[in-house]
Each structure stands twice: as C-alpha cells, then as structure tokens.
Amino acid sequence: MRRTGVFICWCGSNIAATVDIDLAVAAAKKMPGVVFADQNKYTCSEIGQEMIREAIRTHRLERVVVAACSPRMHENTFRKTVAAAGLNPYFLEIANIREQCSWVHKDKETATDKAIALIRTAVAKAARNEALFASELPIERRALVIGGGIAGIQAALDIAENGFVVDLVEKEPSIGGRMAQLDKTFPTLDCSACILTPKMVEVAQSEKITIFSYAEVEKVEGYVGNFTVTVRSRARSVDMGKCTGCGDCMLKCPVKVDSEFDLGLIKRRAIYTPFPQAVPNKPAIDRENCRWFTAGKCRVCEKVCPAGAIDYSQEDELRTEKYGAIVVATGFDPKKLDNYGEYAYGKHPDVLTSLEFERLLNASGPTGGKILRPSNGRPPKNVAFIQCVGSRDKAKGNPYCAKVCCMYTAKHAILLCEKVPGARPFVFYIDVRTPGKDYEEFYNRAYEEFGATYIKGNVSKVFPDGEKLLVRSVDALSGALVELEVDMVVLANSVDARAGAKELAQKLSITTNAYNFFNEAHPKLRPVETHTAGIFLAGTCQGPKDIPETVAQASAAAVKVAALLGKDSLLSNPTVAEVNEKLCTGDMSCLAVCPYGAISEKMLEERRGRETVRRKVAEVNMALCQGCGACTVACRPGAINLKGFTNEQIMAEVEAICL
Amino acid sequence: MRYSYYPGCTLKTKANNFEKTALRTAGALGLEMVEVPEWQCCGALYPLNTDELFPLLAPVRALAQAKEAGHGTLVTLCAGCYNVFKRTNREMSRNGEVRRKVNGYLQEEYTGEVNVLHYLEVLKKEVGFASLAEKAQKKLTGRKVAPYYGCLLLKPRDEMDFDDVENPTIFEDFLRALGAEPVDYPYKTECCGSYLSMADEEVAATAVGRILLSARKSGAELLVVACPLCRYNLEEYGRELTERTGGEASLPVLYFTELLAEALAVGSETYGEEK
Amino acid sequence: MPVTREGFEPLIVAFCCNWCSYAGADLAGTSRQTYPSNVRVIRVPCSGRVNPGFIIRAFQRGADGVLVAGCHPGDCHYHSGNYHARRRFTILKQMLDYLGIEPERFQVRWISGSEGAKFSAVMNELTENVRKLGPNRKLRDAR
Amino acid sequence: MKVTADKVNSSLVKEVEEISGQKVSACFQCGKCTGGCPVVSSMDIFPHLVLRFAQLGLLEELLHSKTLWICASCQTCDSRCPRDVDIPKVIEALRLLLLRRKGGNRLHPANLSDRVRADAPQQGLVSAFRKYAK
C-alpha cells in the first residue's frame, strides 16, 4: 500500500454545510493506505496548499487525495502543489465532493456517505497511480499555409510579421482566390481589388514568405511541431527566373479557352495569367489546351518571348519540407446548379450565377464593368435576384444557410441601380439575414434608397420566353401570386466546400462535417484549431463566411501558429496509450479505432530458444496519441493500456465505489 | 429479349393504337412483349396516404406474376401505370412493414425483385438510341415535335428516378434518333390538369392552353406523349380552344410509339384514337 | 446498502466522459440541479474508453444500475469514441438481457457539457427506474 | 380566422400527419410550392398556406377550402420543396378526412359531363373516382 494523505476541503460552507467533514476525515483515516487525513477551510488557498506540502514531507506521503471541487477546477493547481513537495504531479487524485456531491444533494447523511465513497474511490485509484513524465518535443520553426486566397494571404502575412518563415501553396497560377473575382465588397462598397492587391504584393515582397503557385499538397506526415509535407509544383512551362511578365506570349498565343477566372464569360489563352494583377505576374501554360502539347506544333510563345523563358520540357517538381504548423485556407466553390433545372441556368444566356454577375460588374471583367445581357449586349431593365439557390434546401441542395448571399444580393441590387439608370431589382428571398456591423443598414438602403423590391417567396420556376424570362413565385406576405417578366435572372447559388476538400482532410488527418467543411476542434472555444494539434483553419474551408470573418479567423490562426512556433519545445501529454509488447499479439485491432493514426506496426526480434523470431506488435507514437483510450477497449489480449486511466485504476475505482 | 408487359385498362380501349404501335415496333426491334396473364387495373393513381395498403394489391400481383414468368423486367406504356408500378415496387423493396402486410394478403411472395421499365427506357437502355437511329429507315426529317412529358413519368423526383425532373431529355434523344427535330419549350413538364378534366374542366383547360401556346411559340407542329390522359386533355381542350378563339390553338397529339412505328415503317396508318 | 426491497436505495455507477458528460455533471452542480445521491461518477477520458468489463464488474460488485454518458454523436472530443461506444454497448445490452439482467439497468446517454439540467434529469429518471426494478441480485457476487 | 392555443394543439393536425406521413412543422413558408403550382390560380388557399394553416391548427378553414379538390397531385411542388415536405400527401390526408365522413363523396357518375362520358380515357375516370369518392 502506498502511504496516502487525504485532504478534505470545506470550501467554506459549500461542502461543509452538506457533508459532515469530521465524519469524512475519520472514515478516510481507516481507508487502506491512508496514513494521514485532515481538513481545511479552503484547500486551494496558500495555507491549504502549504498544509499538503508540509504533510507530504512530515508523513512521507507517496500519494495525495484532495477531496474538494471538480478536478476541472483545481487539478492543475494541486498537481503543482505536490510537485513542489517533490512528488510526481500525477500522484495526485481529486475526489469531486462539491459539484458532484454537496451541491446536488440536500440530505447531509446520504451526502456524507457519498462523499466518503468518492474519497475511497480516489484513494483506491491513487494507490495505482504511476509517475508520468511529459516529454519534450522539438519544433520546426516554419509554417505552411495551404491556399492563397484572402484567408491564406492574411495568415501568411501575420505569421511572417511574427518573425517566422512561411510557405504559401496555391493551386492556381496566381494567389488572390475568390476575393480577386469580386467587384465591390459589402457593406462599404469599397473595391475588392483595391484592398486585396496591396496585400498580394506584400506577400510577394515579404522576405519571410515564399509563394508556391500552381502547386498542391501531395503528402503530409508527422505531428505538431514536426510535419513533413510534400508539395507538388505543376510544370508551368515557363522559367520563373527568366520570365519578366511582359505578357507578349499571352497576346500571340493562338488558342482560346474559357477563362476560369471569368467563369467562361470570356476567353483566355493557353498561356495565361488568371487576371491582370496576378501574383506572381508570370504566366503558365495550360498543357491540356496548348497546341504544342496537344498537336505537336505551334511554339509561338517560345518565338515571341524576349527573355527565352518558355520551357516546354519542364516537369512537375516535388519538394519535401518540414513545418511546425499548418494553416488550411482552401476556400469554397460556388454551388453547381445541376439540380436546379427549374431556373433555366444554361438554357437561357441571361440567367447568371451571382459570381458571373459579379464579373459583369467588374471593370476588368468581360464587359468592362457594364451590366449587359449576354443574349443581346443590351442593359437589362428588370432583374430578378433569386436567393437561397441550393441553400437551406435539404432535399436537393445544402441544408445550411450560405450566410453571404443576403448581403451580396443587396449589394448587387444597389450596384444594378447605380450602374443602369432606370433598372429595377426584384429580390426573391425566404428570410433576409443581415447580422453584422452595418449590415442591416446596408440592406435597408437597398430597398429604401435604391428602390429594390423585396418579395418573400422562393421562385419556383423561370420560364424562358423569347428574349424575356418569366419568373413565377408568390409573395407570401400579401398572398399574391407573382408573375414577373424580367430581362435577367441572377441566382445566389450556395457555398459548397471546395472540391477535393475531403481528400485534403484525409491527407492532413483532420475531419470534415457532412458537407466536407473542415471541422474545428470546438465550435465555440476552439474555432481555429482542428482536432489534430498544429493544424489550424482559416476562412470558408471551415464553413461559409464573409470577408471580415475570414480575415479575423486567419489572423487568429496566425496567432495560434506564432504561439506554437515561439515555444522552445512542446510538452507532450503523458496520459497516452502504452503497449505491453509481451502481451501484444499484433492483430492491430487498436489501429483501426485510433482516430489520430498514432498506432503503427513494429517488428520485434526475439530469441526463442535458439531461434530468432520476428513478431509484429503495435507501437504508439506519443506525440500523436491524444489519450482517448479507444484502443484499450479494442485490444483483445489487453495489451494496450492508457496511462492515467489504466484498466487497473478504473477497476479499482469500480470496486471502491461499489463497497 | 423477352419482357413481361403490362398494358393497363386504357390501352385496351381508348388508347389501343398506343398498344398496337408499341407492340408492332417492339416486334420490329426484336423485343418480345409477353402480356401479364390475368392482370387487373393498377388503380391509376399511386396512393398518397399511408394508412391504406389495399390499392397496392393489384400492382403487386402483376409484379409477382412478372417475377414468376421469369422475365425480370416489367414494361409499361401508359405513364400512369408506370408511375404506380415504379413506386409500388420501390415501396415493396424498401419498406419491410408494407411488404409484410401486402404479402399477407396475397398468395404470392413479392419483395421488389422485378425491374420496372417504361417502353422509352427500354428503347434507350436495351435497344440504344444509336442503334434505333440505324433501324429507323423512314426518317422524320424536318418534323418539329414538342415532347410533352407531363408529370407521371418524372415525379416524385426521388421515387421515379426516370430522368432529370426539371430538364428531362429522353424524349428529345428519342426524337432525334428518329430524325425529327425536338423543340424546346418550358412547359414540357408542366401538368395538363390530369383528372381535373373529369370534374373541373375549366382548370384543366387553362393548364392545357398554356402548354399549347408555349409549344406553338417554339415552332412545334405536333406533340408527343406517353400518357392517354395527357393526350385526352391536350386534344379535347386544344380543340375547344381553337373553336373558342376562332383561330389555330391546337396541335395534333400523338403517342411516341406512333411516330416510332412510322419511322420503322411498320404501319402507323391509324393515327388518332379508335373510338 | 440494503439488498431488501423495503426502503431500497439503488447504487448507480455512472461512467462520464471528461469532455462532455463529466462537465455536464459539474454544471448540474454549479446550477444546483439536484438528483439522488445514489449516483456516483467515475471520470473517464471518453465513453469509448469504457470497457464492457468495467460494467460487468460494477454489476458483480453490487451496482444496481450503470450509466455510460458521453458526448452527443458527432461531438466526440476524440471524434469517433462515442460511435465505438454506441456500437459496443448496443451489443452489451443484448448480452445483459441474455444473462437475465434487465436491460434497463444499463443505460447509455449523450449529455453535453452544457446540459446540466439534462444530467440531473437523467440521474433522477435512472434512479427511479432502477428503484422500481429492485436490487440487482443476478450478477452480484455471492458474498 | 383566429389562432388559438387549442387549435394549434388540435388532434386533427396529428391525424393529418399520421395519414400523410408528413410533418407539417417542417415547412418554413418559402412559397416555392405555390409559385410552381400549375392550378394555383383556381385555389382559394395556396399550397404554402395549406401547410401554414395546418401548422396553426386552422383545420376548419382548410376542410372548407376549394384547394383540396383543385390539387391535381402532379407533385411539382414536392419535387422542388427545399424542406422535403410532400404537400400533395398533406392535401390527400385533408381530402380523406372529408371523404371518409358519411356522404363525403364529391363526384357521382350522374354528374359527369357528356364529353367525359363519351370520350374520357378509363385512366382519367378511375383517377377521378379515386380522388373524389370513397
């Protein structure tokens, strides 16, 4: 038996009013192994803590039980107390006789009985506590940011600002992301490019940040402080060192394909930058469409390039680097409208998605910023804006609200009125949602100042009728049927997780929700962390968000990264799983239930008589293990155990609690 | 290929040219349609209430007979029957409680094993429109045809799983295979008024008027359908509308099989219904 | 505690996961949501840590009812532990039934850290139900 | 028309939910059903309001409405409903509440028009009597 000391706290009258402390102390003294028991009015006070330290010394205590408030309150406090007296901090156990006893029971006799049982249970567990030691893990002082939209840009800048080196990986030939596609931003109507491009340039000029554009994450291994990541840079066919970004090649290239950046509203060349303010402002050859790569002739770009930068022989480049932390900022995709044939998208050229409409608004867009009907090049008069297309639709879209559509639709209505005199916006909505600073006021202006007509009714179908479009709906407020002839329909399509988000989540060992948005570690209190330590989230890859929220989360993620990288080393949580190799049969049931990939196979070489035999056993990576204990239950031979919550400890608790 | 074939009431009477042309074309395409013995009326409508199983008995019995015949597939022509059979079959394969209760009434034991296909699906999936195009010697070149889907082939969306509910294309692909020119118009899936024409003719007439107007605007010279009730409504109210307006409002309405028979040159001389 | 039916006070052992249900139990305390003192909590990191053996042992040692409480499905701190628990304990319940233990004596509940009132309600309900069932004699060690 | 607690708690609403297998509370009143209904202009209570009335227990109003006999069960509405409510099933349940009453039949063979008698396809007649009579 371990020499155990029991310290019972009054917590003023919080405990003492319901639990007979004297009786409890007397009972504790008779418990197995207990050599000392006493009481204190406030054990967490300096006097109370000193009493524990003093008793450890004078009574040579080996284990300490504090019967007081919840371990969630003061477990750490008392661990430090016993450590100060030279004991391993994990020799402490807490009996929760306040939250789970004195505060929830009224009858003093039964409450005292229960308090004694809880103390007995803690004593029984403490007797089986073992010394645990947190180990120190080194940290690689370099961060990886995946995704070069506004979230990734902000995170990279803020991490660099804290003095750490950042690699920024972007799938497209330029950073900028979705924000670069926008015209104006709500609720201030300042131009998106005007506030974004300076940040893009800042990234390019930062000595701490390296941009890997036209690149994607291929493989992720390791754990917090020590990730090993392989990045594939796609062959650009342009020598970045030689290219001056003059753009001659893009003018002469004979191949025209739909511009992804302009959503197919205009064409780009096979050698291209997505948009004029691209960073890096150096083109890439899209090999799927380039005539040289598809037909074996052309080489016009090579001929016109004054710098000799065209290099058709380039190959994809794989680069492996170590990182201490990762920020995931991969953004969103606008919802595809395959399920919404009723809106005639793709059937009539004047039915547009909101991002397409955004490009029409943009001065560098396909119409030079004029709102013109794609069908006839004339400005529209009546425009129907349909909200919640694919949002709040559990039957054939996303059940969630896409959060930004109410605001950008109000913006579109306002800009339509500003740009096309006499034009009239009709906004069809289910509910208008505008929580946010100055948001409601912005929406108010749309109908009050600009005369947008808001109709509470989901449009059921758009009927193309020659040049016109007939929109059929109901105004649920007046109960009137709506049949509206318009010149243009703009669909506020929902926010989807980025295609490929699921695969990236698997590479990173992070989780997604049912709609492939990455999961935060806690919806309220840990909104930028993931369940995998060292991996953080920023922006819409975690769920629909507007720009201010995205930037705020990106900065928050950057702070988390800086806090992590600023440490000398990491202390590991010592309550992790441990394999008894003698008992392990190597059937690896544990591996299947481990959510962290912390268990791997290991080959043992053993002498059996004269032979050397090789035998498979499980091995726990202490840095990855989070201590959930799922493996311990899955293990048939009982070879794997969880330190701090061992089978023996819990069994001892069960026995003691049932006495 | 051999199929179990369920004609339904209307095809033996008012819509017998639908059946005649279908069977003739099937023969020409090497498809053998074996009529389900002793079939009863499918009930015309799939029950929308959950507290009665009686309406499912007749369709389940026909399905069970198709299963016994060993053909694996039951083919229907009438969109109404198709709707009832497809949904009944789905319920029998998915809903254990319904299955247990229905089988309790019947001699047969049926658990949704038979595949229910509409003849259009047979043409698409089993014959193939490319091969149909080869076999269609007498091309309907230049004929501008408005396909009218109606509701029963397509809806409910999840249960029927026939084609894109809002923007179906199977009729268009079929028409192109025959060399005809399908016209696109937004009313091809709008309801014709269905059984309302039996009780509240004005409502049905209004619905039909919109469909015909839209089809005519798009340049159609005739409509094709797969449902006798749609055909009745479109013809009757089209005629009435022409009379009332004193102008051309109606369009000829044909079963798709009648066009098919023409293109396959197996005799489509009896256009229109036999009365 | 008495094993007779008269004035029978059941002993109920509750395994609570540290992140949700134990926090819910603490919240029940903080907000003074009372429940019978028959319930005693053992803290575990996760409902997925609870070995069915612990439950059998509790019944052998005289527990009249056992509760495993964890985070709501989808909310597990370790993202999948409660799913393992749910599957495992569905089977255990059947096994207990087979052994002749009333399956109502063993309950699995999802109680979040913000559900103090629910924790207390579940404890009240469970105690009442087990009280009605009477003492567990079947698995109790003959001592 | 007045909403009261008694009406909201009406057992008839539960009966409608039982017969139809639909939850009327699922509807959030977006109106997509009404906007697309091909026969809505002949209805006195629009489809989305059928759901709203049912949510509020205004059953008397619903049971007197023309809408129940206008709906053609074309299922356009439920194929577009973002809340996955099968509105024709709800309407069918309301219809059945009336048809199952004594003398509840709405259509009698004697009332058929000459045209229907002469030319209507069996499919139409069978459908109509399934819908309007028991």
Side-chain angles (χ1 to χ4, degrees):
Chain A
M1 271 300 142
R2 300 293 182 183
R3 296 176 62 83
T4 306
V6 177
F7 302 86
I8 303 175
C9 184
W10 291 37
C11 195
S13 64
N14 280 307
I15 296 171
T18 321
V19 173
D20 186 328
I21 305 280
D22 289 334
L23 217 58
V25 170
K29 283 185 173 155
K30 292 184 194 136
M31 288 176 193
V34 174
V35 294
F36 177 82
D38 206 345
Q39 50 189 293
N40 200 299
K41 222 167 190 176
Y42 291 101
T43 312
C44 59
S45 67
E46 185 43 42
I47 301 167
Q49 292 192 51
E50 180 50 34
M51 178 185 182
I52 296 174
R53 287 191 291 262
E54 173 64 25
I56 290 171
R57 283 188 289 267
T58 49
H59 297 276
R60 292 175 289 115
L61 299 180
E62 294 170 296
R63 299 290 184 273
V64 171
V65 169
V66 176
C69 55
S70 170
R72 298 165 56 85
M73 279 296 288
H74 278 313
E75 191 172 48
N76 266 336
T77 313
F78 293 122
R79 274 188 183 155
K80 283 183 195 152
T81 311
V82 300
L87 283 187
N88 183 285
Y90 292 87
F91 285 161
L92 169 89
E93 277 302 320
I94 304 269
N96 182 348
I97 60 167
R98 190 179 77 173
E99 281 84 347
Q100 297 186 9
C101 185
S102 70
W103 274 355
V104 285
H105 307 315
K106 287 193 184 119
D107 178 61
K108 195 160 182 173
E109 194 185 330
T110 56
T112 305
D113 277 353
K114 176 168 168 179
I116 292 168
L118 292 176
I119 293 165
R120 187 171 61 228
T121 305
V123 169
K125 186 182 181 195
R128 286 156 186 85
N129 281 13
E130 280 168 30
L132 302 180
F133 302 94
S135 52
E136 288 197 357
L137 306 168
I139 296 173
E140 188 67 37
R141 289 205 163 66
R142 174 192 289 270
L144 173 69
V145 175
I146 308 172
I150 181 59
I153 288 172
Q154 187 65 46
L157 286 173
D158 288 348
I159 295 167
E161 178 82 10
N162 277 280
F164 300 102
V165 173
V166 186
D167 287 350
L168 176 61
V169 173
E170 166 59 47
K171 193 169 62 165
E172 300 296 325
S174 168
I175 61 170
R178 294 284 171 209
M179 190 175 168
Q181 290 178 290
L182 306 182
D183 179 49
K184 301 255 183 345
T185 53
F186 60 76
T188 47
L189 293 184
D190 42 355
C191 129
S192 187
C194 310
I195 54 179
L196 177 66
T197 37
K199 280 191 186 279
M200 291 164 62
V201 173
E202 207 184 321
V203 167
Q205 289 174 347
S206 167
E207 284 174 9
K208 299 272 184 196
I209 304 174
T210 311
I211 300 173
F212 293 89
S213 60
Y214 218 39
E216 284 180 81
V217 168
E218 181 108 343
K219 199 166 89 181
V220 181
E221 287 174 320
Y223 45 86
V224 55
N226 288 282
F227 294 105
T228 306
V229 181
T230 306
V231 170
R232 174 184 294 271
S233 291
R234 286 163 66 195
R236 202 176 184 108
S237 317
V238 170
D239 185 326
M240 297 284 276
K242 291 182 186 162
C243 175
T244 61
C246 72
D248 284 356
C249 51
M250 296 192 275
L251 293 172
K252 296 283 158 55
C253 173
V255 181
K256 289 184 179 174
V257 287
D258 282 351
S259 154
E260 296 85 358
F261 185 81
D262 275 299
L263 305 147
L265 293 167
I266 46 165
K267 305 283 181 190
R268 62 158 170 86
R269 308 299 170 106
I271 184 164
Y272 74 109
T273 58
F275 53 103
Q277 308 90 331
V279 169
N281 198 7
K282 294 175 184 179
I285 292 181
D286 155 18
R287 292 188 172 183
E288 272 169 33
N289 290 297
C290 168
R291 197 166 285 175
W292 170 246
F293 284 100
T294 55
K297 51 189 172 201
C298 185
R299 301 184 84 121
V300 167
C301 49
E302 190 181 42
K303 281 169 213 142
V304 301
C305 178
I310 306 295
D311 178 3
Y312 299 115
S313 67
Q314 262 187 14
E315 283 178 9
D316 285 8
E317 208 176 297
L318 289 173
R319 202 173 137 279
T320 300
E321 185 71 64
K322 297 205 88 178
Y323 299 98
I326 299 174
V327 176
V328 189
T330 47
F332 73 98
D333 277 332
K335 184 162 205 67
K336 289 210 173 69
L337 295 173
D338 303 348
N339 276 347
Y340 292 87
E342 62 265 42
Y343 293 139
Y345 178 74
K347 283 217 145 199
H348 194 290
D350 296 336
V351 181
L352 301 170
T353 67
S354 47
L355 199 55
E356 289 167 356
F357 188 73
E358 195 80 44
R359 294 309 300 153
L360 292 190
L361 294 171
N362 195 290
S364 59
T367 54
K370 293 197 182 83
I371 303 175
L372 302 173
R373 299 173 63 184
S375 64
N376 59 13
R378 288 203 293 271
K381 190 173 176 325
N382 296 325
V383 178
F385 292 91
I386 306 179
Q387 296 197 174
C388 298
V389 178
S391 300
R392 304 183 70 193
D393 183 346
K394 70 171 179 180
K396 53 180 190 169
N398 300 326
Y400 53 84
C401 167
K403 202 169 188 182
V404 287
C405 318
C406 286
M407 284 304 291
Y408 73 60
T409 299
K411 175 188 79 177
H412 287 167
I414 290 174
L415 293 176
L416 172 71
C417 295
E418 279 189 347
K419 292 204 167 200
V420 185
R424 192 162 184 98
F426 295 87
V427 180
F428 292 88
Y429 68 94
I430 301 176
D431 296 291
V432 176
R433 294 173 168 177
T434 60
K437 195 177 179 192
D438 296 331
Y439 283 14
E440 176 69 13
E441 297 90 320
F442 183 79
Y443 155 59
N444 297 154
R445 282 172 60 203
Y447 59 82
E448 219 171 0
E449 267 177 52
F450 291 88
T453 303
Y454 272 74
I455 297 173
K456 181 174 166 63
N458 198 337
V459 170
S460 196
K461 184 164 167 170
V462 174
F463 295 76
D465 186 10
E467 283 219 324
K468 297 278 181 181
L469 292 154
L470 183 74
V471 171
R472 213 169 264 169
S473 179
V474 67
D475 177 59
L477 297 180
S478 64
L481 295 174
V482 178
E483 267 192 28
L484 205 64
E485 223 180 47
V486 299
D487 308 302
M488 188 181 266
V489 171
V490 181
L491 306 173
N493 48 335
S494 190
V495 170
D496 273 1
R498 183 72 84 169
K502 192 88 202 167
E503 292 71 30
L504 183 61
Q506 277 159 3
K507 283 179 193 165
L508 291 164
S509 292
I510 61 176
T511 57
T512 65
N513 71 359
Y515 312 102
N516 291 342
F517 288 110
F518 302 130
N519 280 340
E520 62 281 6
H522 187 281
K524 284 121 203 159
L525 300 180
R526 296 173 68 200
V528 302
E529 291 114 308
T530 63
H531 286 291
T532 303
I535 300 184
F536 305 94
L537 302 174
T540 52
C541 64
Q542 183 244 356
K545 269 179 205 70
D546 59 22
I547 295 170
E549 286 175 320
T550 296
V551 171
Q553 195 187 14
S555 290
V559 169
K560 292 277 175 190
V561 169
L564 176 63
L565 300 189
K567 287 181 181 160
D568 295 328
S569 61
L570 288 171
L571 276 187
S572 68
N573 164 25
T575 58
V576 292
E578 172 180 53
V579 178
N580 181 337
E581 289 176 354
K582 280 194 197 111
L583 295 178
C584 180
T585 59
D587 89 328
M588 305 309 286
S589 300
C590 48
L591 192 145
V593 298
C594 177
Y596 301 103
I599 296 176
S600 54
E601 294 177 3
K602 178 171 112 176
M603 293 309 291
L604 281 186
E605 283 195 3
E606 286 175 345
R607 298 286 296 171
R608 281 218 192 118
R610 293 191 180 163
E611 270 178 291
T612 302
V613 288
R614 282 166 63 77
R615 183 164 75 86
K616 186 169 73 180
V617 294
E619 184 179 30
V620 176
N621 181 325
M622 284 177 56
L624 290 179
C625 177
Q626 302 285 313
C628 72
C631 52
T632 61
V633 189
C635 179
R636 286 167 207 198
I640 198 160
N641 218 336
L642 181 64
K643 292 190 212 166
F645 293 95
T646 61
N647 292 330
E648 297 72 22
Q649 285 174 309
I650 298 177
M651 279 297 196
E653 287 183 275
V654 169
E655 307 231 340
I657 219 165
C658 290
L659 269 181
Chain B
M1 281 295 282
R2 281 163 73 96
Y3 302 92
S4 279
Y5 159 62
Y6 178 91
C9 332
T10 319
L11 270 76
K12 291 295 180 189
T13 50
K14 298 282 179 197
N16 60 8
N17 205 42
F18 193 0
E19 175 173 53
K20 242 185 250 172
T21 46
L23 294 182
R24 233 182 271 157
T25 56
L29 294 168
L31 310 166
E32 197 182 333
M33 298 290 174
V34 184
E35 191 168 319
V36 173
E38 294 173 37
W39 56 265
Q40 296 156 298
C41 172
C42 69
L45 290 172
Y46 186 77
L48 294 182
N49 50 320
T50 57
D51 59 350
E52 262 182 312
L53 293 173
F54 178 68
L56 297 183
L57 298 183
V60 171
R61 188 170 292 139
L63 285 164
Q65 285 179 7
K67 174 185 158 192
E68 204 155 298
H71 298 134
T73 301
L74 178 77
V75 177
T76 67
L77 287 167
C78 165
C81 302
Y82 176 65
N83 189 283
V84 170
F85 277 102
K86 190 104 180 240
R87 294 170 79 178
T88 304
N89 205 35
R90 188 176 189 268
E91 195 70 1
M92 288 298 283
S93 67
R94 293 187 171 210
N95 189 329
E97 202 188 324
V98 166
R99 185 164 57 226
R100 193 170 48 77
K101 285 183 180 161
V102 168
N103 281 331
Y105 280 110
L106 298 172
Q107 277 187 331
E108 301 88 346
E109 181 77 16
Y110 184 71
T111 57
E113 301 93 330
V114 170
N115 186 20
V116 176
L117 285 185
H118 189 263
Y119 188 43
L120 264 179
E121 290 178 299
V122 175
L123 296 173
K124 178 182 175 175
K125 293 177 184 165
E126 314 264 315
V127 178
F129 285 150
S131 126
L132 183 65
E134 278 169 30
K135 288 174 180 145
Q137 292 301 314
K138 221 174 134 237
K139 288 277 187 267
L140 309 177
T141 316
R143 299 273 281 282
K144 298 181 96 175
V145 185
Y148 178 71
Y149 288 85
C151 318
L152 294 167
L153 289 176
L154 297 165
K155 295 163 199 166
R157 179 167 43 89
D158 297 336
E159 291 175 50
M160 297 309 287
D161 193 25
F162 176 78
D163 201 340
D164 185 324
V165 159
E166 302 291 351
N167 199 14
T169 52
I170 186 168
F171 253 138
E172 281 84 340
D173 296 339
F174 163 78
L175 290 168
R176 278 190 208 100
L178 304 187
E181 185 189 326
V183 303
D184 192 22
Y185 66 117
Y187 280 80
K188 67 182 183 184
T189 57
E190 293 286 305
C191 177
C192 68
S194 184
Y195 53 79
L196 289 177
S197 55
M198 306 294 113
D200 201 333
E201 304 204 26
E202 226 180 278
V203 181
T206 315
V208 167
R210 284 197 294 251
I211 295 163
L212 291 175
L213 182 67
S214 174
R216 289 174 64 90
K217 257 192 175 175
S218 67
E221 56 193 62
L222 69 105
L223 287 163
V224 288
V225 297
C227 173
L229 184 53
C230 293
R231 176 164 178 167
Y232 169 82
N233 287 345
L234 291 165
E235 272 183 346
E236 284 297 319
Y237 300 116
R239 193 178 306 136
E240 195 180 271
L241 210 62
T242 305
E243 281 164 22
R244 206 183 326 149
T245 56
E248 282 291 301
S250 63
L251 280 173
V253 188
L254 291 182
Y255 294 117
F256 69 98
T257 52
E258 293 176 308
L259 280 185
L260 179 60
E262 189 186 336
L264 292 174
V266 291
S268 59
E269 64 286 349
T270 43
Y271 268 3
E273 304 279 14
E274 286 185 7
K275 302 274 156 101
Chain C
M1 281 187 197
V3 186
T4 54
R5 242 174 215 280
E6 292 81 61
F8 166 63
E9 284 301 329
L11 168 64
I12 292 166
V13 178
F15 293 91
C16 291
C17 87
N18 183 43
W19 305 97
C20 288
S21 306
Y22 195 89
D26 278 356
L27 181 62
T30 319
S31 43
R32 311 298 199 274
Q33 304 268 2
T34 58
Y35 53 87
S37 58
N38 309 56
V39 180
R40 291 160 192 189
V41 173
I42 292 177
R43 181 165 70 130
V44 287
C46 176
S47 54
R49 170 67 185 96
V50 181
N51 195 319
F54 302 159
I55 292 153
I56 306 280
R57 178 69 64 92
F59 280 124
Q60 285 175 327
R61 288 293 185 261
D64 302 294
V66 176
L67 172 81
V68 174
C71 309
H72 284 269
D75 289 349
C76 177
H77 181 78
Y78 304 104
H79 35 101
S80 51
N82 52 3
Y83 291 124
H84 295 306
R86 181 162 66 182
R87 266 173 264 159
R88 204 171 276 142
F89 294 135
T90 307
I91 294 164
L92 179 67
K93 230 174 153 68
Q94 290 166 359
M95 197 192 99
L96 290 174
D97 193 17
Y98 180 74
L99 290 176
I101 299 257
E102 298 88 339
E104 300 80 41
R105 289 191 190 276
F106 171 54
Q107 297 290 329
V108 181
R109 295 298 174 88
W110 313 126
I111 302 171
S112 81
S114 58
E115 293 176 326
K118 180 173 177 186
F119 184 90
S120 146
V122 167
M123 299 310 137
N124 276 304
E125 178 202 322
L126 186 58
T127 310
E128 217 28 66
N129 290 346
V130 175
R131 203 195 303 275
K132 275 185 212 139
L133 288 173
N136 148 39
R137 289 200 179 86
K138 187 89 185 181
L139 259 190
R140 185 189 291 267
D141 292 345
R143 287 194 285 190
Chain D
M1 198 162 46
K2 200 173 195 176
V3 177
T4 65
D6 283 348
K7 285 188 193 170
V8 175
N9 295 325
S10 146
S11 63
L12 263 186
V13 178
K14 286 186 195 84
E15 205 173 320
V16 168
E17 292 197 323
E18 248 161 55
I19 297 175
S20 64
Q22 302 298 303
K23 272 189 79 170
V24 298
S25 58
C27 170
F28 63 19
Q29 294 292 299
C30 73
K32 198 169 185 179
C33 47
T34 297
C37 177
V39 291
V40 69
S41 46
S42 307
M43 290 179 170
D44 50 357
I45 298 178
F46 292 162
H48 74 284
L49 291 176
V50 170
L51 269 294
R52 188 65 189 148
F53 279 37
Q55 287 171 347
L56 298 175
L58 301 171
L59 264 290
E60 267 318 297
E61 286 78 358
L62 281 179
L63 292 175
H64 284 101
S65 99
K66 257 172 74 182
T67 296
L68 306 190
W69 314 104
I70 296 292
C71 170
S73 308
C74 74
Q75 310 220 260
T76 301
C77 50
D78 66 74
S79 287
R80 291 184 189 148
C81 174
R83 301 291 303 150
D84 231 351
V85 179
D86 198 325
I87 302 150
K89 285 188 176 167
V90 175
I91 293 179
E92 182 83 2
L94 291 162
R95 221 171 352 212
L96 287 172
L97 287 184
L98 294 170
L99 291 175
R100 285 172 182 174
R101 289 179 187 172
K102 203 167 172 235
N105 286 359
R106 311 290 288 205
L107 186 65
H108 300 278
N111 301 345
L112 294 173
S113 73
D114 290 344
R115 165 161 55 191
V116 168
R117 248 177 243 271
D119 295 334
Q122 283 73 359
Q123 181 195 1
L125 291 165
V126 175
S127 301
F129 282 99
R130 288 276 311 279
K131 285 288 173 181
Y132 297 133
K134 264 288 147 192

